[in-house]
Amino acid sequence: MTDLLYSEEEEALRAAVRDLLTDHCPPAGVLARTESDAPHDRSLWKSLAEDMGLAGLLVPEELGGQGASHREAAVVLEELGRAVAPVPYLTSAVVATEALLACGDGELLSRLASGRTVGALAVGLHTGPATGVRTVRLENGALHGELTGVADAAVADVLLVPADDGGLYAVDADADAVTVLPQTSLDLTRPSATVRLAGAPGRRVGDTGPAVRRALRAAAGLLASEQLGVADWALTETVRYLKERKQFNRPVGGFQALKHRLARLWLEVVHLRAAARAAADALSSGRDTDVTVAVAQAYAAPVAVRATEEALQLHGGIGMTWEHPVHLYLKRAKADSIAYGTAGAHREALAGLVDLQAP
């Protein structure tokens, strides 16, 4: 029987990541960074990826990684979601890494595992595991075309680009023939960009089909853990605020109507934790992975969005201000709700997987 409870090692990992984020990723700092020209926190990424070795959690030890499982990566993502940390962990340490694991490119995997190289799969953030991907044109050994909605492309050193010959190509993001144009993103902590290739040289690392499918399935499954972190922060902070905020000389949280709303939200977050843990364990063990990931994503997005909407509303006037961080969490939850497939798309995929089609 699968044990979805956190192990001692996972709790120790959580404590270490949370301590680091508490010290180096306060809400005021995240907000200030989103208002600057450099939304990504490279110093925090160095601490997480290089100093703590978290970029290589999914990479085998013989390639310079930690040889850990998706369960450990899920714990990290919970804490990053709780802090809406502006680092490319999901896009580089999970998505790009999973794609390269499918391709078996040890050299590039070692570079990503070290944390000194950031990778990004050049596929739109909205693309789900069962969705076709846009490709660029391969002509005389060079890549031509445009790909939009690529998350964290602005901070990537290497882009993994799908081409029309069925290959996945590693492209140097700093090459003269590569242009990365920032797009207006709802989520200020995970900006997306358009990638334009005008005859860019690339090295084929593998086949697009299996690599992208593996990467996006892992992304969808572990995204649920990030959404759990976002929702859990929203619930915890709202409960704390309602205990302190007084109206008619009594804590606002004492009113029965608000107790009912919070109790319902608590149940939904508990269910989300179970779904997210199941997805991480399924990715780690390889058992019923497609079904478990689809279940997690069908449930996660609506809960995270509702939790952050409730947090904003129940914080009253202060929640509507730019200075309060709740809007960062709401935007992350809304952006995550269409990332790697919508809840509706995952429900449709689930119906096909269990042979339960609509009449």
Side-chain angles (χ1 to χ4, degrees), residues 209-263:
V212 170
R213 171 165 171 72
R214 173 172 174 166
L216 296 183
R217 186 177 66 175
L222 293 183
L223 179 66
S225 292
E226 177 182 288
Q227 291 164 311
L228 168 62
V230 169
D232 196 50
W233 178 92
L235 175 62
T236 302
E237 283 300 304
T238 303
V239 170
R240 183 191 61 78
Y241 177 76
L242 293 183
K243 285 181 177 179
E244 297 175 354
R245 178 79 167 88
K246 291 188 176 180
Q247 194 173 62
F248 306 119
N249 206 31
R250 61 179 288 192
V252 173
F255 293 105
Q256 191 173 40
L258 298 189
K259 286 183 178 179
H260 287 170
R261 287 169 68 171
L262 291 172

Side-chain angles (χ1 to χ4, degrees), residues 69-72 74 221-222 225 275-285 292:
S69 73
H70 297 83
R71 290 176 59 122
E72 286 79 16
L222 293 183
S225 292
R277 291 295 292 166
D281 186 75
L283 286 165
S284 179
S285 66
T292 311

Side-chain angles (χ1 to χ4, degrees), residues 26-53:
V30 176
L31 186 58
R33 189 165 291 282
T34 64
E35 296 174 320
S36 72
D37 294 331
H40 291 97
D41 191 335
R42 292 179 181 270
S43 175
L44 177 62
W45 173 251
K46 182 179 184 300
S47 298
L48 287 164
E50 294 185 43
D51 300 344
M52 294 184 70

Side-chain angles (χ1 to χ4, degrees), residues 107-159:
E107 184 270 333
L108 196 46
L109 273 170
S110 296
R111 288 167 55 191
L112 261 61
S114 72
R116 290 185 289 274
T117 296
V118 175
L121 181 64
V123 172
L125 183 62
H126 63 281
T127 309
T131 309
V133 299
R134 290 187 59 183
T135 60
V136 297
R137 188 175 77 259
L138 180 67
E139 188 175 302
N140 298 324
L143 300 167
H144 302 260
E146 180 176 287
L147 300 164
T148 59
V150 181
D152 293 332
V155 76
D157 302 299
V158 175
L159 298 166

Side-chain angles (χ1 to χ4, degrees), residues 18 55 74 115 139 194 211 253 271 324 331 334:
R18 185 175 295 189
E139 188 175 302
T194 296
H271 295 160
H324 196 282
K331 290 168 183 173
K334 292 291 284 186

Side-chain angles (χ1 to χ4, degrees), residues 92-108:
S92 182
V94 174
V95 182
T97 296
E98 285 281 344
L100 290 171
L101 285 168
C103 297
D105 191 290
E107 184 270 333
L108 196 46

